[in-house]
Amino acid sequence: MVVRWGICSAGKISHDFTVALKTLAPEDHQVVAVAARSSKRAEEFAQKHRIPNVYSSYEELAKDPEIDVVYVGTIHPHHHPVGIMFLNAKKNVLCEKPLAMNLRKVKELQAAAKTNDVFLMEAVWTRFFPASLEISRLLEQKAVGEVKLVRADFGAFLKNVPRSVEKELGGGALLDIGIYCLQFALMVYDGEKPESIQATGVCLDTGVDESMVVTLKFSQGRLAVCTCTIAVDLPSEAIIFGTEGTIRVPAHMWSPTSIIVNGKEAQYPVPKPYLPLNFINSTGMRYEAEEVRQCLLKGLKESLRMSHSDSALLAEIMDECRRQVGVVYSQDHH
């Protein structure tokens, strides 16, 4: 079965996702349309990626009967309204993370998907990398004994990027990159809800978080410590500490291409792109795209590996972290 994709927005992440799709078999995945608010940008995007249909509004894209799934690559605050529109048009949706600005909006998206009987997944691409699947397999086999502590950090200097620092653009370290650290901890602890959440952070004058440290306490005395910042570069690694060893993602924990298990390294390279990418390892988005296809083949409305409850728990934790640090978006007001 071929999955026909529509690309919503012609920004950097949509470019990389489209490049990633081209690493998959054309009889399985095809990009058939792109839409952007600017018809010029949409035209340029379509030309660059050889996409047959071009729309200058998202509404037109929603009406295209030839599209099976829409990839939403807009800025964070637009995920909810745009996502709702596509779901109500009975389109399957793969939406960039964060799925929405808060838990309430996440639940509204999930309700719309259920009402319209369509597939919806938050594009937490990390979950679908072969390295991540191997981590889950190792944990299931208790390869490092009982896990007691997870540590994950992600830091990059992004203070010169408007969408990272402006509140109305959904800026802040947590929603943009801290989400990867939190989802990693939740993946390790198998989607368990933490017993307690403690967050401390530093905010910019714009009202968004520049840096945040989050400690999650789980049952049986297990912990996760997550650090994110848009002020400095961090090693951006993740380590799982067990009673009988460690599993380490040595770099790019959000797009893992190698893991070190008890000192022994295994490599999981991603395919080479046919066009230059904006972000490292972006061809790894092919794995989440193929997950969508597999779910559609099985008639599933959500992925078991990044389920609706996974997205809801992630949003709930981030809401609490923001509450403790004092980051409030306009979407938080009823």
Side-chain angles (χ1 to χ4, degrees), residues 256-274:
T257 52
S258 72
I259 58 172
I260 300 168
V261 185
N262 295 331
K264 191 177 175 188
E265 188 164 8
Q267 302 279 348
Y268 301 88
V270 291
K272 290 195 164 34
Y274 77 97

Side-chain angles (χ1 to χ4, degrees), residues 224-253:
V225 181
C226 302
T227 307
C228 61
T229 179
I230 55 171
V232 290
D233 293 330
L234 295 180
S236 298
E237 65 174 14
I239 310 177
I240 301 162
F241 297 91
T243 52
E244 293 167 35
T246 61
I247 301 171
R248 186 167 158 239
V249 180
H252 319 307
M253 57 75 57

Side-chain angles (χ1 to χ4, degrees), residues 26-314:
E27 58 270 24
D28 292 342
H29 298 268
Q30 286 172 14
V31 181
V32 298
V34 61
R37 292 291 185 206
S38 148
S39 51
K40 183 173 179 283
R41 285 191 71 188
E43 290 284 358
E44 285 169 358
F45 192 97
Q47 216 166 2
K48 187 184 281 185
H49 297 283
R50 298 190 203 87
I51 300 170
N53 300 303
V54 188
Y55 299 115
S56 56
S57 79
Y58 301 152
E59 291 76 12
E60 287 177 274
L61 185 67
K63 287 176 189 159
D64 187 336
E66 300 299 309
I67 291 168
D68 300 311
V69 190
V70 176
Y71 169 78
V72 177
T74 60
I75 59 170
H76 301 164
H78 293 171
H79 291 176
H80 173 270
V82 168
I84 291 282
M85 183 192 68
F86 287 121
L87 294 167
N88 286 341
K90 301 207 181 304
K91 293 284 186 246
N92 300 301
V93 171
L94 173 65
C95 180
E96 258 316 324
K97 54 85 211 151
L99 190 53
M101 296 297 288
N102 57 36
L103 176 61
R104 183 166 53 87
K105 299 285 187 187
V106 163
K107 285 184 169 174
E108 286 173 10
L109 279 163
Q110 293 175 345
K114 194 173 181 183
T115 300
N116 292 290
D117 195 32
V118 287
F119 177 87
L120 170 67
M121 188 175 92
E122 182 174 14
V124 179
W125 63 323
T126 315
R127 291 257 166 133
F128 306 98
F129 273 70
S132 296
L133 300 179
E134 179 63 8
I135 288 170
S136 293
R137 191 184 69 80
L138 290 166
L139 293 174
E140 213 172 294
Q141 292 181 344
K142 301 225 178 298
V144 292
E146 298 295 326
V147 176
K148 300 299 286 181
L149 176 69
V150 177
R151 208 174 70 208
D153 69 74
F154 190 170
F157 180 77
L158 298 169
K159 286 170 75 174
N160 56 345
V161 180
R163 70 166 191 84
S164 294
V165 295
E166 299 298 334
K167 188 182 271 194
E168 62 273 18
L169 300 180
L174 184 70
L175 257 58
D176 195 24
I177 60 179
I179 186 172
Y180 287 115
C181 303
L182 294 174
Q183 76 77 30
F184 186 87
L186 294 175
M187 180 185 81
V188 171
Y189 291 134
D190 207 21
E192 185 184 316
K193 187 173 180 173
E195 290 178 350
S196 73
I197 301 163
Q198 287 182 308
T200 185
V202 176
C203 291
L204 296 167
D205 293 341
T206 55
V208 303
D209 52 303
E210 176 188 83
S211 305
M212 204 181 288
V213 180
V214 179
T215 304
L216 305 175
K217 184 184 176 186
F218 292 85
S219 64
Q220 297 163 331
R222 297 167 301 153
L223 294 172
V225 181
C226 302
T227 307
C228 61
T229 179
I230 55 171
V232 290
D233 293 330
L234 295 180
S236 298
E237 65 174 14
I239 310 177
I240 301 162
F241 297 91
T243 52
E244 293 167 35
T246 61
I247 301 171
R248 186 167 158 239
V249 180
H252 319 307
M253 57 75 57
W254 67 96
S255 55
T257 52
S258 72
I259 58 172
I260 300 168
V261 185
N262 295 331
K264 191 177 175 188
E265 188 164 8
Q267 302 279 348
Y268 301 88
V270 291
K272 290 195 164 34
Y274 77 97
L275 284 173
L277 297 167
N278 295 296
F279 307 105
I280 197 159
N281 296 338
S282 277
T283 52
M285 286 196 273
R286 74 201 300 267
Y287 305 119
E288 64 181 0
E290 181 56 24
E291 172 71 5
V292 172
R293 179 173 171 271
Q294 290 302 323
C295 287
L296 294 179
L297 283 169
K298 293 169 191 162
L300 300 174
K301 302 305 175 190
E302 60 182 294
S303 163
L304 300 178
R305 193 152 173 87
M306 190 64 211
S307 68
H308 287 190
S309 59
D310 289 329
S311 291
L313 179 56
L314 199 47

